[in-house]
Amino acid sequence: MPETARRPESHRYGNRPTMKDVAARAGVGLKTVSRVVNGEPGVTADTERRVQEAIEALGFRRNDSARVLRKGRTASMGLVLEDLADPFYGPLSRAVEEVARAHGTLLFNGSSAEDPEREQELALALCARRVDGLVIIPAGDDHRYLEPEIRAGVATVFVDRPAGRIDADVVLSDNHGGARAGVAHLIAHGHRRIGFIGDMPRIHTAAERLRGYRTAMEDAGIPVAPSWTSLGVTDPERVRRAAEEMLSGPEPVTAIFAGNNRVTITVVRVLAELSRPVALVGFDDFELADLLRPGVTVVAQDAALLGRTAADRLFRRLDGSLVAPERIELPTRLITRGSGELPPAG
Amino acid sequence: MPETARRPESHRYGNRPTMKDVAARAGVGLKTVSRVVNGEPGVTADTERRVQEAIEALGFRRNDSARVLRKGRTASMGLVLEDLADPFYGPLSRAVEEVARAHGTLLFNGSSAEDPEREQELALALCARRVDGLVIIPAGDDHRYLEPEIRAGVATVFVDRPAGRIDADVVLSDNHGGARAGVAHLIAHGHRRIGFIGDMPRIHTAAERLRGYRTAMEDAGIPVAPSWTSLGVTDPERVRRAAEEMLSGPEPVTAIFAGNNRVTITVVRVLAELSRPVALVGFDDFELADLLRPGVTVVAQDAALLGRTAADRLFRRLDGSLVAPERIELPTRLITRGSGELPPAG
DNA sequence: TAGAGCCTGGACAACGTTGTCACGGGCGGG
DNA sequence: CCCGCCCGTGACAACGTTGTCCAGGCTCTA
């Protein structure tokens, strides 16, 4: 009786038909409906037809939440990145999604906005949903809060920046080598006074790129003047000031290495207003870099490959791989377009 | 040999402690743990402390899947968009996320890749997870498959393009008005032979923009030659051919209106190789449009506002709003940068 | 034709949580 | 001093699904 009363005659919102309702309507047992829905064997064609009709008539859709509770695996994963709106993360995110899709897994997405607290909050919320795995672009530098989760079986892979104070899989670009190659490229074109503008060194990628700059300069036996490096500037106005400063003064730089794509673009703006040519190489490729005059020479990392590699790694873990956590470094590629090949002026 | 042995018991949730375990360890009842975890009143300070200690010691984290099953609301929503890697959708996605976050809701993300079947598959998978709501950027033009879901209470809002064959909330840009204004701008600068290159007219936005072009031309009393409009071209190679075609011939256009940002960028490339100046206005803004020479004049839509508006609408529905489904059109903005103000040549 | 084996279908418990309700003890007021 | 009330606590059912196991009915063979 109570079952009949719960029939979805009522168009009450939020009251969806369940397998029980379908079973009642089809005149079969609950488990038989489950079998039909999951394509399990052991149901006659006639019974199956009756069940299908009932499903159709009621607009039944299996409740995967309940399924998950019973089965253990949720077939979902989380991606915590820095900012969905940043064009660098679009392709990365998309690549992770494609791998997830290939494994029949849905993807939760969230932005940390470069705030460690928010990263943690997000990651733990995802764990509470019992995602099978996490791909994290770290904002913070201490990830011990994830220890119980990882121990409990949440496959976790860090991308773009290493994990802090825990042992986990990490997929990085070769930031040091890329920056080194980019700066060496400028040196090879005759520059000696080369500036570096980058993000706060507490961000691992920024620190590594700075290190690459220093290595290249050292390789060439060029001492670096303090006024040539500018760290921790990220908003356009301060980047502009930093660039203008190193371009004036007694020993102005003849070339600039920009530590990430946002910096690069601002520097392009500054240089466009200048009368003399200044060489520029930027870390990270960006759309339209080839359309500018001159085209912008960049050290490109493959965001999609980063994402794909991380996701592959994650699913290998979920499939039971027990190899020790690994640090994978992907190579970068120097793309010459003109701005990095300008000779020193003055 | 039994299939049950295939997945070791330890692989289920990875042996996560449950409230029952916490209760046993703290020497209290199950429900008391629940009360502590949810901050419900009616627990003495001493009991609460014991429970907290047990939680800490075991590394317990509430299973929100089970919670959801019991409570009905999942505090999660889905966003189905065309391509996460497309820079236009980054800010939109981010805006939706911010609103979701403000409502304590997690966001599932998925790309349809402009494939109606994949859109449906994704949307229904999300419904099976019992998301509270959906924001969809439609790829297909028939969304009747969502009818049972909407009736069951899944708040659904369509963005950027209208829903097909069902009555639902829609948030759009004023594609017709924007294109009309953009073309009128060209006409105001003396152009009469104006070309239009856009996507397939089966895509609503493309059709509306074409209509805007025709309206503007009609307003000015300019008959449109068939060779001036090129529809359904989207890959760079064909856009290039289309542009070159309308720029040669007996009656070459002196200006081009580009139907979306990908077309615009390709046209910029084509025009860069040309000796004579050709005016250009594009639909959709893009980064660096101001850095090109000349800067590219565009009709800009506010992607973030689109996303925010849609998400707001969705949560208003979830809060019980019962107003009839509505169609919201957001205004566009003409940004002049140079390319649209070139006078007709020849 | 009886027994064995197979196939179909259903009853029931379990997943981890929350809502309901009942119980016992301490306390204040009559 | 006793009654009733409130407060802290816990037992139990329910959420919707799947895994296990068993009951019948059928076919096949000896």
Side-chain angles (χ1 to χ4, degrees):
Chain A
M1 304 309 190
E3 299 143 49
T4 357
R6 284 181 69 265
R7 286 290 194 76
E9 236 63 73
S10 58
H11 286 289
R12 252 190 62 204
Y13 287 121
N15 208 354
R16 303 185 71 120
T18 72
M19 284 191 178
K20 205 162 134 190
D21 300 319
V22 174
R25 170 142 185 157
V28 301
L30 177 56
K31 179 65 207 205
T32 300
V33 177
S34 172
R35 274 193 268 261
V36 171
V37 169
N38 293 296
E40 288 169 22
V43 182
T44 38
D46 182 59
T47 309
E48 171 160 3
R49 192 185 42 72
R50 286 214 318 283
V51 171
Q52 286 291 11
E53 277 172 14
I55 287 176
E56 201 83 6
L58 296 175
F60 166 80
R61 182 118 34 223
R62 178 179 63 194
N63 184 335
D64 276 1
S65 280
R67 175 168 217 250
V68 148
L69 176 60
R70 189 66 233 272
K71 302 202 74 143
R73 281 279 175 95
T74 62
S76 68
M77 58 173 289
L79 172 60
V80 179
L81 33 74
E82 191 251 309
D83 184 359
L84 255 175
D86 184 326
F88 175 70
Y89 295 113
L92 195 158
S93 178
R94 179 65 195 275
V96 172
E97 189 204 335
E98 287 302 329
V99 177
R101 184 176 135 82
H103 285 80
T105 296
L106 285 178
L107 184 63
F108 279 108
N109 247 311
S111 302
S112 68
E114 205 70 86
D115 174 357
E117 205 164 316
R118 196 162 150 180
E119 172 210 304
Q120 171 169 352
E121 186 191 321
L122 235 167
L124 289 182
L126 292 166
C127 288
R129 292 304 176 87
R130 295 297 187 265
V131 292
D132 297 334
L134 282 175
V135 170
I136 299 184
I137 294 167
D141 49 9
D142 185 352
H143 296 92
R144 281 175 298 176
Y145 69 88
L146 277 173
E147 267 174 357
E149 312 300 329
I150 293 175
R151 214 176 313 126
V154 179
T156 306
V157 180
F158 292 81
V159 191
D160 192 40
R161 308 170 191 170
R165 315 186 68 171
I166 64 169
D167 194 28
D169 285 311
V170 179
V171 181
L172 304 170
S173 278
D174 179 8
N175 291 289
H176 174 259
R180 180 181 184 175
V183 174
H185 182 74
L186 288 167
I187 295 172
H189 280 80
H191 295 273
R192 291 187 60 84
R193 298 199 306 274
I194 303 173
F196 177 95
I197 306 180
D199 217 327
M200 296 162 290
R202 76 163 180 80
I203 298 178
H204 173 264
T205 50
E208 281 293 292
R209 292 169 196 177
L210 173 61
R211 202 165 64 80
Y213 163 80
R214 290 199 193 282
T215 306
M217 296 295 268
E218 202 170 311
D219 288 347
I222 306 173
V224 175
S227 66
W228 294 352
T229 63
S230 166
L231 308 177
V233 300
T234 165
D235 68 295
E237 208 30 66
R238 290 181 58 200
V239 169
R240 169 175 292 270
R241 263 208 307 282
E244 283 165 353
E245 230 157 85
M246 58 180 69
L247 285 167
S248 57
E251 280 215 314
V253 301
T254 62
I256 292 179
F257 186 84
N260 67 47
N261 54 6
R262 276 170 300 191
V263 171
T264 306
I265 288 168
T266 305
V267 172
V268 168
R269 289 208 158 86
V270 172
L271 298 187
E273 297 161 6
L274 231 57
S275 53
R276 69 177 188 285
V278 171
L280 170 66
V281 173
F283 208 110
D284 286 344
D285 199 7
F286 55 94
E287 213 178 357
L288 302 190
D290 61 319
L291 266 187
L292 300 176
R293 289 292 164 261
V296 180
T297 294
V298 298
V299 177
Q301 37 179 342
D302 190 336
L305 183 59
L306 275 173
R308 200 160 44 242
T309 306
D312 278 341
R313 191 89 198 153
L314 191 153
F315 281 104
R316 201 150 320 148
R317 286 261 175 241
L318 286 180
D319 288 346
S321 162
L322 292 176
V323 296
E326 215 174 333
R327 177 198 187 95
I328 303 175
E329 261 192 16
L330 301 178
T332 57
R333 196 163 52 96
L334 184 75
I335 305 178
T336 59
R337 295 201 180 101
S339 76
E341 294 75 49
L342 296 173
Chain B
M1 8 1 173
E3 293 128 270
T4 46
R6 252 175 51 83
R7 282 260 172 262
E9 186 68 25
S10 63
H11 233 255
R12 289 193 62 92
Y13 273 133
N15 271 348
R16 273 179 171 284
T18 71
M19 285 191 178
K20 204 163 134 191
D21 301 321
V22 174
R25 169 145 189 155
V28 301
L30 177 56
K31 179 66 206 202
T32 300
V33 176
S34 172
R35 273 192 269 262
V36 171
V37 169
N38 293 295
E40 288 171 22
V43 182
T44 40
D46 181 61
T47 310
E48 171 159 3
R49 192 185 42 73
R50 285 214 319 284
V51 171
Q52 287 290 10
E53 277 171 14
I55 288 176
E56 201 82 8
L58 296 176
F60 167 81
R61 181 117 36 223
R62 179 179 64 195
N63 184 334
D64 276 1
S65 280
R67 175 169 217 250
V68 148
L69 176 60
R70 190 64 232 272
K71 302 203 74 145
R73 277 275 174 100
T74 62
S76 67
M77 58 173 288
L79 172 60
V80 179
L81 33 74
E82 192 251 308
D83 184 359
L84 256 175
D86 184 325
F88 175 69
Y89 295 113
L92 194 157
S93 179
R94 179 66 195 276
V96 171
E97 188 204 334
E98 286 304 327
V99 177
R101 183 176 136 81
H103 285 81
T105 295
L106 285 177
L107 184 62
F108 279 109
N109 247 313
S111 301
S112 68
E114 205 68 89
D115 174 357
E117 207 165 315
R118 196 163 150 181
E119 172 209 304
Q120 171 168 351
E121 186 191 319
L122 235 167
L124 290 182
L126 292 166
C127 289
R129 290 305 175 86
R130 295 297 187 264
V131 292
D132 297 334
L134 282 174
V135 170
I136 299 182
I137 293 166
D141 50 8
D142 185 351
H143 296 91
R144 282 175 297 176
Y145 70 88
L146 279 173
E147 266 174 357
E149 312 300 329
I150 293 175
R151 213 177 314 126
V154 179
T156 306
V157 180
F158 292 82
V159 191
D160 192 42
R161 309 169 191 170
R165 314 187 68 170
I166 64 170
D167 195 26
D169 285 311
V170 180
V171 181
L172 305 169
S173 277
D174 180 9
N175 291 288
H176 174 258
R180 180 181 183 175
V183 174
H185 182 73
L186 289 167
I187 295 172
H189 280 79
H191 295 272
R192 292 187 60 85
R193 299 199 304 276
I194 303 174
F196 177 95
I197 305 180
D199 217 327
M200 294 161 292
R202 76 164 180 78
I203 298 178
H204 174 263
T205 50
E208 281 294 290
R209 292 170 195 177
L210 174 61
R211 201 165 64 80
Y213 163 79
R214 290 199 193 284
T215 306
M217 295 297 268
E218 202 170 310
D219 287 348
I222 306 173
V224 174
S227 66
W228 293 352
T229 64
S230 166
L231 308 177
V233 300
T234 166
D235 69 296
E237 208 30 66
R238 291 181 58 199
V239 169
R240 170 175 291 272
R241 264 210 305 283
E244 283 165 353
E245 229 156 85
M246 58 180 68
L247 285 167
S248 57
E251 280 215 314
V253 299
T254 62
I256 292 180
F257 187 85
N260 66 47
N261 54 5
R262 276 169 300 192
V263 171
T264 306
I265 288 169
T266 305
V267 172
V268 168
R269 290 209 158 85
V270 173
L271 298 187
E273 298 162 4
L274 231 57
S275 53
R276 71 177 187 283
V278 171
L280 169 66
V281 173
F283 207 109
D284 285 343
D285 199 6
F286 55 95
E287 212 178 357
L288 304 189
D290 61 319
L291 267 187
L292 301 175
R293 290 291 166 259
V296 180
T297 295
V298 298
V299 176
Q301 38 180 341
D302 190 337
L305 184 59
L306 275 172
R308 199 159 46 242
T309 307
D312 277 341
R313 191 88 199 152
L314 191 152
F315 282 103
R316 201 151 319 148
R317 286 260 176 243
L318 285 180
D319 288 346
S321 162
L322 291 174
V323 297
E326 216 173 332
R327 178 197 188 95
I328 303 175
E329 263 193 13
L330 300 178
T332 58
R333 195 162 53 95
L334 185 76
I335 304 178
T336 59
R337 296 200 179 102
S339 77
E341 294 75 49
L342 296 173

